[in-house]
Every structure is written in C-alpha cells, then in structure tokens.
Amino acid sequence: MKNVLFESILIVALIIISIFSIQFTYLDPYNGIFTEINYSNYTSQTIYLKGIEYPVKIYIDSNGIAHIYAKDNNDLFLAEGYYMAQNRLFQMEIEALLASGNLSKWIKSEYKSDITMHYLGLPNNAYNLMLAYEENEKKYYDYLLSFSQGVNDFINQNQLPFEFKILNVKPFYWSPFDTIVWEEYMTLYLTTGIYEPIEMDLFYSYFGYNNTLSVWPFYPYYTQNITIVPGDGTINGYNLTDQGINITYFWHLNWFSEWATGIDPNIIKNITYLLRISYENISDPFIEYSHFSIGSNSWIVTSNYSQYGYPMIANDPHLNLILPSLWIPLQLVDPNMNVTGWALAGIPGILIGHTKNTSWGITSAEGNSANDYLEILKGDYYFYNNTWHKLIEYNFTVLNKKYIIYYTNHGPLIGRYKNFGISVDWIASKISYIFISELKLDMSNNYTDMLNALKYWGYPPQNFALISLHHAGYVTAGYYPLIKEILPNNKTVYVIGSRSLLNGSNPKYSYCGYVPFKYLPQVIDPKRGYAFAPNQPPVGMNYPYPFIGGFWASGGRALSIYNYLKNHNKMNITDMEELQSNLTDSWAEMLKPILIKYISNMTMNETEKEAFKILENWNCSANINSIGMTIYWYYVSNIYNNTFFYYEKLYNISFLYPPFETSLIYLLKNYPSSFWFDNNSTKILQISFKETISELINNLGNNFYNWYWGKVHKLLISSITGLLALSYGPIPFYGDDHTVSVGPTEFIIKFPLPYVTLSSSLRKIDIPALNIYLGIFPGGPSENFLSYYYMNQLNLWYNHEYVNYGYNWKKEVIYTYEP
Amino acid sequence: MNLKFILPILFSIIISYLVLLIGYPFLFILAAIILYPIKGKTLFYISFLIGFLTPLSLYLLYPLDLLNRFLFTLSSISNLPSIIILLFYSLLTSSIMLLTSILLFINDSIKIIS
C-alpha cells in the first residue's frame, strides 16, 4: 500500500515536471538558445515563398543594409514583407497591437494606451481607410496585400523570435489593416492640434491672456524671420495683405476671444476639470505627455550655394529611440523603382530615402491638423446648428471589458463632464492615401515627380525637403483644415487651427476645406541658396492662411542652422557633416550674457566665484566634457523652478510643457518685473544661482572636473521589451534640446538628469548628382539581440560617423526567395 | 564495466541528444527506460548525470559572449542569477530521468509506467 502511494506520488511528480518543462523549451540548448544564436547570424540561403512569381534576390551588405531585387512590384513588396518579418516580426506585431488598441491582449492586463487609441479613433480610422484602398485604389491595396503575404509566409515557415517564447504569445497574421493602423499611430505621434489647444486653455484659465501670450506667442520670439520659405509669407503671389487685412492688426488680435472661438472665455475658465480629464484620457503612456518636444532637422543647399554646383540635402528626424529602431534600412529595386533609404518597420516602401536622381527628407510641420471642440450635451444628444442630434456609439472591448465612445459630427468625445464635452476633429479620420504618396516618391525621377507625389500626402502635414539633380526646395505637404473666421473689423479670413477650444455647436467653426496644394508653404531654389526646416514656422506672417494653431519648436535649432549656412557660402560635404553634429545652444548664447549680468554684482563665496567664471567663459557648446553646460542647465532649471514651475505646481498643471527659454529671454529683456518673476527678476536669478551651486556641490562634489555634462546627461535607448539587458546605455551624451545634434532632457533638479530617450532617429546627407549618399541610424536591421546587426550602426551614429547608403556596396550575404 | 552497463548508457546518451534535437523534454523518460538493465543506486546516479550533463554539454558549443548575453537577458527578466538559468533546463531533464529511474527501481518492472 505504501509503495503504491509512493509510486503514485512519483508518477504525478513526473507528469507535472514533464508538462512544466515544455514551457521552458526556449532554455533548451538546441531548440531554444541554439536557434536564437543561429537566427542571429545572416547566412546565405534559399527560401521558398508562396505568392511570388519570379525569384527575388536579397543582398545584405557589410553595413547590414538589405538590397532587394525583384521583377515586379508585387514580388518586391512580398519579399520586403518577408524580410521585415525575418528581422522585425515582434516589433511589427507589438506596434500594430499598440496602435489598434489591443496591446492588453499580450500584456494580459488592461493597458491604458489601448483605451486612448480607441478614444482617438485610430482602429476605426484605419479600418475605413483600408476599405477605401480596397474600393478605390486596388493596385495599391494589392501591394499592401503582397506585403502582408510576405509577413505571413514568415510566420508560417519559421520558428518564432525569442520574444514570442518569453511572452508565451503567438503572432497574429498580418493584414493591410495592421500597416495602416501603424501609419495612423505615427500620424498621431506627429499631429499638432489635439493636445495643444487644451494646454493653451489651461494656461489661459489660470494665467490670463497676457501672461499666456507672453510665454506662448503665435510666432516664436527671435526667429520670426527665419521661416522655411524665405520672405513675408506670400505663396504663389497670394498673401494676407491681398485680402485687405493688415498684418499688424491681425497678429495683435486676441484669438481666445468669443468672436474667434464662439465660446465666452469665462466658460473656458469654468471647465478646467473637463480640460484635465480630456487631456488625461488621450495621454498615451507610450508617447510623451506633450508633443512639443518632438522635432527634426533638415536643410537643403541649392546648386549656386554648393561647392560642387549641385544641390545637397541633410535630414535627421527626431523620434523616440528604441531598440530595434523604428527604421529599417533597405534598397528596393525592380523595373519601376530603385530606391534606397529607411522604411518604417511594418510599412512597405521607403519613407525617407533617395533614388538615383532625387532625394528627400521629412520634418514635422507642427501646424494644426486637428481641432478640439467644446460640445453641448444632453443625455445621448449633442447640440449642433440649433438642433439636437443623437450621439453615435462606438463599442469596443479591452480584455472582455466593454467600453463605449460617443461621436459627435466632429469626432470622438475625449472627455465629458455635466453638459459639456470635448470632441476632436482630426484629419486622420479622413481618407488620405499616404502610401501612394510614399511609393510615388520612391519612383520619382525628377523634382516634378516629387511634387506630384506629395499631392497625395494628407497627414500628418510634414515639411518635405526635396532635391533632384539640379533643383532643391521645400513643400509643407498635407491637409491643413481651414476655419472661416470673421474678424472684429468684419473681414473674412480662412485660418489654420486655433489656440483654444472652438464652439462645437456652431457650424461656423467646423472645417470648411483644406489649404489648396498651390498655396501650401513651398519654395524651389531659394535665391539665398539654402532653406531649412527644423520645426519652425514654415511661412511668414503674411501667409494667406494664417496658422493660428501653430505650435512651433522654439527655433533654437533653426537659428543655429541659419547662422551656420549664412556664414558658409559654397557648402561642401564636410560642412554638411559638421552642421549635423553641431552642439551650439543658440538660446544659451543669448541667455548667458543676461544671466551673467544679473549675478555679476552679487556677493559670492569662493566656489560660487569659480563657478561663475566657468559659466562666463563657457562657449555655449553642449559637448560631453563641458562643465559650463552643467552649471548653465541646472541654473536655468532653478530659474524655471522659481518661476514657471512654481505657478504650474500651484495650479497642479505641472504636466504641461514648460515655456521655452526664448520666453525667459524675452521676459528678462523686456519685462523684468513680470508676474512670472514675482515682480523681482534680480532676486529670483540670484537666489537660483546660489541654489544651483549648492546642489551641484551636494550631488557632484567640490571638484569641478566632476561637473562635466556627460556626468549628468546620459542617453538610454531602451529595448522595445523594456529590458535593460537589451538596451543601450545609459552612457554620457552630448547636446541639449536646442542643439542641432539634439539631446533633449528636462529642466529638473535631478542627478543625473532624466535620460535622453529622443534624438536623431537617422541622419542622412545626399548629393544625388555626385552619387554621394551618406547615412546612419542608431541601431541595426535585426531585432535579435544576439545578432551583430542588432546595433551595428549605433556606435557610428553616436560618434557622428556615416556609412555608405549609395550604390557601391559589398555583398556579404545572399538570400534567394524562390516561388 | 561490461557491455550490460555500457550499451544502455551509450543508448541513453544518444537518445538524450536526440530528444534535445526534437525539443520535447518529457521524452527524457525514454532515455531513462533504456537504463533499466542497470540496477540499484548506480541507476540513479547515471540517469541523473546523463539528464544533467547532456543539455549542459550542448551549451559549450556556442560562442561564450552570445551565451552570456542570452543568460544575462533571461536573468534580468526573471531576477535569478545567470548560473541558475544555465542549470535550470539541465535540472529539469535530470529530474525527469531520476524520477523515471526511481519508478523503475521500485517496481523492478517497466509495467508501472505503461
């Protein structure tokens, strides 16, 4: 009896261990680790694929760039899908889940981001757009299907990447919906106008019109005249003045007024709770709370201004850095196209790249492509055009929990409190075939081809830097929705966006069309020899469709680029590289003398005197070894703490993005007794300096050599899995928010500062006429953390070096995809 | 050592490696059954050692830096030391073999597991 019991226990134990052991096959030295290590190597092989008609060759060069050669577009995109899945399946799937509001499925607990995605309508928009492709653009829909087929062939044929085993999840089959929903997510990432009017209204509610305007002017201080398109804003002979409107009058109007928004400003002051909950509802933990920090650089040099007599282009889009990178480097070749550059993982084609005759780059345009509306609600009804309409219900589930979102005619209600609600009208809910635009760029042969391609580009509006063999220019392409405004002087003008919520009940404030392509900001071969687009206003104040909702970058990078280009007639490739790695903070150059003046006469102890000298002699460069940079940053942080942040904390709105340093400079120069300084800027600045030195001593010690910038300013490129072991850094990093080689962090008293997680997501410099194509990005093509190609270009990127993205490459590995 | 001992051990080792190629660790039961001719405590020692050393020996085939990175990653996920991660799978397979051999020993018959 005893034996039987013992045997039974042993059998049960054996069964349990046997079942348990199946869960850990990824630890199996052969099927687990060996497979992972084997996948990490690129080895030449032949793979049989369903759906391709002719053999496709893929050559991997020594920099890890894949060169895909096919006989037609369908085979090409199928092979691209397979190759992307081979290298990025986990990333693609997690991104598609994130964008479609389904990430909870994998995480297995409710994830707030999922609800946010549905609040903003991403899955719904993507589904409608997919149907539109299928119905109206069959050829391009077939390309999307081919790409999906390639991804699914990989899922069917191969062992899954390690991450799937760890999470114990299975991949879902890819479809055009997943590609489109990821495009929508990237659009959200780069859209202006959803968050900003709410932020401005909160500012306005607590600080009033003058104080808000003093820190958030319509056009950034000190850079009003260095717009993308040189000149006063006239486009194709059309401007504001021609409409009988005086520019000075126009830009001095109060755009928070009832005539501009249809809402009594006192109502805005009474709905701060609604503003807060709406903002919270659409704040995605995957995206920075505010969008002001997203930026990018690009510039073009015309034939006349180039040492070589041919146009040149440089571009470095700033995005959150992750491992693997959002980008994957590729060349796509078939009889219709020969394009090299970077694709977004999950999206076929090449988004930023070059052909043999053209090259283009992208930066975010920052003008409103969305608007927020204040809606009047009663039960299931909203009030519009003097009539009550039934709210439209949209149901969705997250982990079996049901949610309902209500839509007005403008879009989804992102917040509701009592009889008010806030809805978002976002152009991403309209139909725009940006995939077509992308492919037409990929097939472009000259400047006109590129312009025609951009006519398909709907959203997000982007500044496209374009060069061909002999021409160079810019187009800010995309749908800019227009609102018809009647000014206090009874003149009518069509404006882009708003500073505040608009009255959702009044049809007057609904969209009434888009800026025609002909009048979008654009320039070709500018006379001065160059143009640049690091997120500053695209056009001057006389633009015929004024950007009321323009939430531009501070202009620090624009000023640095402008100063450099202005002083370097006959630019060459070395100049282009030097400018792309420039670490001068233009706002520090302007602010430092003011700070020095304020504190030069104050009583200081010996350490403070020494620190003062270092600050005074600092060259305003944010290089890793700079001690002056550290003193400056913490000093400005303390000033912010004692001014802007003090008030933001007071009203519990610290989540808002802080005003730029330009506002601080402007106020110190013009209004030293401003409300923000509690009427005494001298006292604030002197106290802040003393606090700074004391904090630096306490945290970094008395030895100034330990105060170097890289000690407190570090880069962390996180793995998409969130695992530190698979991440890069934290390591000392250069730059700050306003340097061309950007390394943004926060004005905060922390040692070290919050890690830099956003920077140049790729860098490129091209001269197609000379067959020069330089590029680099912080990562590699593979998501396999054991692979050399996981981050093969990362160290070069860190050191501002480049690799060849042109046509003289060395074959390392050959994949053959056979039908 | 006579053939009665050597042959079962040899076959058991071969089966163990084959099981590792197939990827279903519970099949280590078969590798233990082969050892049936060996009696007593020796059976326990040998079955445990084969179950433990077979997977461990395969780890030696891989580049050390990649293996380290792999283990470091798993270690950071699980908050367990790398050495435990390294030994974990071997301990699982050795436990399967040991339990099987104990069952064989107790019953002195293969019926018990059929």
Side-chain angles (χ1 to χ4, degrees):
Chain A
M1 187 65 194
K2 235 181 186 179
N3 267 358
V4 173
L5 185 67
F6 187 51
E7 283 160 17
S8 307
I9 292 169
L10 284 177
I11 290 170
V12 170
L14 187 60
I15 292 169
I16 290 172
I17 291 178
S18 297
I19 294 169
F20 180 67
S21 62
I22 297 171
Q23 306 296 315
F24 292 92
T25 44
Y26 56 84
L27 286 173
D28 173 344
Y30 183 76
N31 293 292
I33 300 173
F34 180 81
T35 313
E36 286 308 317
I37 291 175
N38 201 27
Y39 277 175
S40 73
N41 300 320
Y42 285 9
T43 45
S44 296
Q45 55 186 301
T46 300
I47 297 160
Y48 295 94
L49 291 190
K50 268 188 207 166
I52 56 167
E53 215 166 318
Y54 303 101
V56 176
K57 290 267 184 199
I58 301 189
Y59 305 97
I60 313 289
D61 72 20
S62 49
N63 296 312
I65 303 165
H67 306 266
I68 306 179
Y69 286 76
K71 291 249 167 73
D72 66 31
N73 282 145
N74 281 309
D75 281 358
L76 186 70
F77 294 126
L78 194 145
E80 189 187 8
Y82 188 90
Y83 174 78
M84 270 197 199
Q86 234 178 340
N87 286 280
R88 299 289 183 86
L89 183 65
F90 181 76
Q91 178 192 19
M92 285 163 62
E93 298 236 323
I94 206 161
E95 287 173 348
L97 285 175
L98 168 70
S100 58
N102 271 322
L103 200 53
S104 305
K105 233 198 288 185
W106 273 14
I107 294 177
K108 296 184 179 88
S109 67
E110 192 174 293
Y111 191 57
K112 182 184 172 292
S113 175
D114 282 351
I115 298 160
T116 302
M117 292 304 113
H118 287 282
Y119 261 122
L120 289 168
L122 267 75
N124 205 17
N125 296 348
Y127 183 72
N128 292 334
L129 189 50
M130 184 182 72
L131 294 182
Y133 270 107
E134 193 176 3
E135 206 169 298
N136 308 321
E137 298 290 349
K138 193 77 180 71
K139 184 172 87 175
Y140 293 94
Y141 183 71
D142 285 346
Y143 293 160
L144 292 173
L145 281 178
S146 296
F147 179 82
S148 305
Q149 170 80 48
V151 177
N152 295 335
D153 281 351
F154 176 79
I155 293 171
N156 286 331
Q157 287 183 6
N158 291 276
Q159 288 211 38
L160 296 176
F162 173 70
E163 291 84 351
F164 286 96
K165 295 171 191 166
I166 289 284
L167 280 180
N168 197 21
V169 288
K170 286 196 171 149
F172 56 85
Y173 284 116
W174 196 262
S175 78
F177 170 84
D178 299 298
T179 294
I180 295 169
V181 82
W182 182 238
E183 281 179 349
E184 287 269 331
Y185 187 88
M186 291 307 292
T187 300
L188 169 65
Y189 198 75
L190 300 167
T191 290
T192 313
I194 298 178
Y195 301 83
E196 293 80 356
I198 297 177
E199 295 186 357
M200 286 300 118
D201 273 340
L202 281 168
F203 245 89
Y204 175 80
S205 301
Y206 292 116
F207 306 121
Y209 178 70
N210 287 333
N211 288 324
T212 301
L213 198 68
S214 69
V215 292
W216 291 116
F218 290 103
Y219 271 66
Y221 294 122
Y222 310 114
T223 53
Q224 294 95 332
N225 299 322
I226 53 170
T227 48
I228 300 171
V229 179
D232 68 348
T234 303
I235 296 291
N236 278 321
Y238 188 42
N239 59 32
L240 204 55
T241 318
D242 288 348
Q243 299 171 50
I245 294 161
N246 179 295
I247 305 172
T248 314
Y249 166 78
F250 183 90
W251 288 108
H252 278 86
L253 290 169
N254 178 347
W255 287 91
F256 287 89
S257 303
E258 190 169 354
W259 64 263
T261 64
I263 304 168
D264 179 348
N266 290 318
I267 292 178
I268 295 289
K269 288 179 184 174
N270 290 325
I271 57 161
T272 51
Y273 178 73
L274 175 63
L275 292 167
R276 283 168 186 276
I277 57 166
S278 303
Y279 197 76
E280 177 62 30
N281 282 341
I282 56 169
S283 295
D284 171 15
F286 252 75
I287 300 183
E288 296 279 319
Y289 230 101
S290 167
H291 286 216
F292 282 106
S293 54
I294 305 286
S296 303
N297 297 320
S298 73
W299 58 91
I300 51 105
V301 172
T302 63
S303 310
N304 295 335
Y305 210 72
S306 153
Q307 186 179 305
Y308 315 109
Y310 297 107
M312 302 194 282
I313 186 173
N315 180 214
D316 62 294
H318 305 162
L319 294 169
N320 273 0
L321 304 184
I322 53 164
L323 279 172
S325 163
L326 291 169
W327 303 104
I328 183 162
L330 293 168
Q331 181 186 14
L332 302 176
V333 187
D334 74 6
N336 304 309
M337 69 162 81
N338 183 351
V339 58
T340 310
W342 291 268
L344 282 169
I347 300 176
I350 297 283
L351 188 55
I352 293 181
H354 65 82
T355 68
K356 287 196 167 176
N357 301 320
T358 61
S359 176
W360 61 96
I362 301 177
T363 63
S364 195
E366 315 279 11
N368 274 21
S369 50
N371 274 93
D372 297 330
Y373 287 89
L374 183 65
E375 306 281 2
I376 299 169
L377 308 170
K378 192 166 71 179
D380 291 344
Y381 291 83
Y382 68 97
F383 193 65
Y384 181 73
N385 201 11
N386 295 319
T387 316
W388 289 99
H389 302 262
K390 194 151 177 38
L391 289 161
I392 301 156
E393 266 187 38
Y394 168 72
N395 296 289
F396 67 96
T397 53
V398 174
L399 286 183
N400 298 325
K401 196 172 166 189
K402 285 186 180 171
Y403 290 88
I404 304 173
I405 288 173
Y406 294 96
Y407 276 68
T408 69
N409 60 318
H410 293 114
L413 278 176
I414 56 168
R416 181 176 186 165
Y417 184 62
K418 293 183 178 170
N419 289 331
F420 287 118
I422 294 177
S423 67
V424 176
D425 198 347
W426 181 27
I427 48 153
S429 62
K430 319 291 187 267
I431 300 300
S432 156
Y433 303 108
I434 56 174
F435 176 56
I436 299 179
S437 185
E438 185 193 347
L439 289 198
K440 285 185 179 290
L441 276 174
D442 291 351
M443 296 179 191
S444 62
N445 275 313
N446 53 49
Y447 200 89
T448 311
D449 284 351
M450 289 194 285
L451 284 183
N452 287 332
L454 293 180
K455 287 176 183 164
Y456 288 87
W457 188 273
Y459 43 77
Q462 295 286 290
N463 303 314
F464 281 86
L466 309 170
I467 65 166
S468 61
L469 295 180
H470 302 289
H471 297 290
Y474 268 100
V475 180
T476 301
Y479 295 163
Y480 274 122
L482 293 171
I483 294 156
K484 187 179 174 182
E485 292 279 10
I486 298 168
L487 306 181
N489 66 1
N490 285 327
K491 294 271 182 191
T492 301
V493 64
Y494 291 90
V495 304
I496 298 166
S498 66
R499 299 306 270 191
S500 166
L501 302 185
L502 294 170
N503 185 342
S505 308
N506 189 340
K508 185 189 153 200
Y509 297 100
S510 296
Y511 292 169
C512 59
Y514 301 105
V515 176
F517 189 83
K518 185 182 172 188
Y519 296 119
L520 284 172
Q522 54 197 289
V523 61
I524 177 166
D525 297 326
K527 277 184 190 155
R528 68 180 177 201
Y530 55 85
F532 46 97
N535 320 107
Q536 84 276 37
V539 276
M541 291 181 170
N542 203 11
Y543 183 58
Y545 302 101
F547 284 92
I548 302 305
F551 298 93
W552 325 107
S554 77
R557 286 176 287 113
L559 191 58
S560 298
I561 294 168
Y562 173 67
N563 287 336
Y564 191 96
L565 290 171
K566 191 177 62 176
N567 295 319
H568 284 76
N569 193 359
K570 299 297 172 195
M571 288 280 291
N572 60 32
I573 196 87
T574 314
D575 295 332
M576 297 287 273
E577 288 180 20
E578 188 179 73
L579 179 51
Q580 211 159 46
S581 59
N582 190 295
L583 293 175
T584 302
D585 182 332
S586 287
W587 297 140
E589 283 186 323
M590 210 178 270
L591 180 56
K592 191 190 80 173
I594 301 170
L595 301 180
I596 293 291
K597 201 174 156 192
Y598 266 96
I599 54 175
S600 56
N601 295 325
M602 67 186 267
T603 317
M604 297 185 205
N605 62 30
E606 285 309 307
T607 316
E608 287 165 353
K609 276 182 194 163
E610 193 62 31
F612 173 79
K613 262 188 215 162
I614 292 170
L615 182 64
E616 195 176 24
N617 296 324
W618 172 51
N619 62 1
C620 297
S621 168
N623 67 55
I624 285 175
N625 299 318
S626 172
I627 298 165
M629 180 70 213
T630 307
I631 299 172
Y632 171 79
W633 195 265
Y634 284 100
Y635 183 19
V636 177
S637 301
N638 271 306
I639 297 172
Y640 267 65
N641 258 349
N642 294 323
T643 54
F644 305 129
F645 292 161
Y646 170 80
Y647 290 105
E648 287 187 2
K649 273 179 204 156
L650 194 67
Y651 296 109
N652 196 19
I653 49 169
S654 299
F655 54 88
L656 300 183
Y657 196 81
F660 298 129
E661 292 95 306
T662 43
S663 303
L664 183 63
I665 297 167
Y666 176 81
L667 290 167
L668 286 172
K669 274 186 168 179
N670 301 291
Y671 301 99
S673 303
S674 151
F675 152 85
W676 296 106
F677 303 124
D678 199 18
N679 304 323
N680 190 345
S681 52
T682 306
K683 188 180 162 196
I684 296 261
L685 265 68
Q686 293 189 349
I687 288 173
S688 299
F689 185 71
K690 284 197 173 285
E691 285 172 349
T692 302
I693 305 308
S694 156
E695 285 152 2
L696 286 168
I697 292 169
N698 288 339
N699 290 282
L700 302 177
N702 280 314
N703 185 348
F704 285 110
Y705 291 109
N706 275 336
W707 293 16
Y708 62 92
W709 186 227
K711 175 94 175 176
V712 292
H713 184 251
K714 292 171 193 287
L715 170 75
L716 176 67
I717 306 182
S718 294
S719 153
I720 196 166
T721 59
L723 298 172
L724 195 60
L726 305 185
S727 304
Y728 178 80
I731 58 164
F733 199 54
Y734 41 75
D736 69 19
D737 297 42
H738 310 302
T739 53
V740 177
S741 180
V742 72
T745 181
E746 292 172 41
F747 285 128
I748 193 166
I749 311 297
K750 265 190 179 175
F751 295 85
L753 291 161
Y755 296 136
V756 175
T757 55
L758 179 147
S759 187
S760 306
S761 62
L762 64 86
R763 297 188 188 113
K764 67 171 256 175
I765 297 172
D766 290 347
I767 315 174
L770 297 180
N771 200 16
I772 293 174
Y773 304 99
L774 302 179
I776 198 75
F777 78 122
S782 173
E783 69 180 351
N784 187 323
F785 62 93
L786 295 171
S787 172
Y788 163 73
Y789 294 108
Y790 183 57
M791 49 168 89
N792 64 307
Q793 294 194 20
L794 210 158
N795 284 330
L796 295 170
W797 170 88
Y798 181 85
N799 295 320
H800 290 111
E801 292 174 54
Y802 300 84
V803 300
N804 170 32
Y805 271 71
Y807 301 101
N808 307 314
W809 39 270
K810 197 179 143 212
K811 289 170 202 170
E812 293 273 316
V813 177
I814 306 173
Y815 292 148
T816 308
Y817 295 168
E818 293 277 358
Chain B
M1 283 274 212
N2 57 30
L3 275 180
K4 196 181 162 191
F5 272 64
I6 292 170
L7 279 179
I9 292 171
L10 203 63
F11 281 127
S12 177
I13 292 170
I14 291 168
I15 288 173
S16 299
Y17 279 116
L18 284 175
V19 168
L20 284 174
L21 293 183
I22 295 165
Y24 294 105
F26 61 84
L27 292 177
F28 268 84
I29 292 171
L30 298 176
I33 291 172
I34 294 287
L35 293 173
Y36 176 65
I38 303 167
K39 306 287 180 192
K41 284 182 185 170
T42 322
L43 173 64
F44 303 156
Y45 296 141
I46 289 175
S47 61
F48 182 84
L49 281 175
I50 291 174
F52 189 73
L53 293 176
T54 318
L56 209 58
S57 63
L58 275 189
Y59 286 123
L60 299 174
L61 295 176
Y62 311 128
L64 202 61
D65 57 333
L66 292 182
L67 181 62
N68 262 338
R69 193 153 181 204
F70 190 89
L71 294 173
F72 180 54
T73 305
L74 289 178
S75 163
S76 67
I77 297 168
S78 59
N79 283 328
L80 290 170
S82 294
I83 187 74
I84 302 286
I85 307 283
L86 181 72
L87 298 180
F88 187 80
Y89 199 78
S90 298
L91 285 169
L92 275 179
T93 51
S94 55
S95 307
I96 290 171
M97 285 198 67
L98 183 63
L99 283 172
T100 311
S101 58
I102 294 172
L103 278 168
L104 290 174
F105 175 74
I106 289 171
N107 284 279
D108 200 24
S109 160
I110 205 161
K111 281 179 207 165
I112 190 76
I113 56 160
S114 61

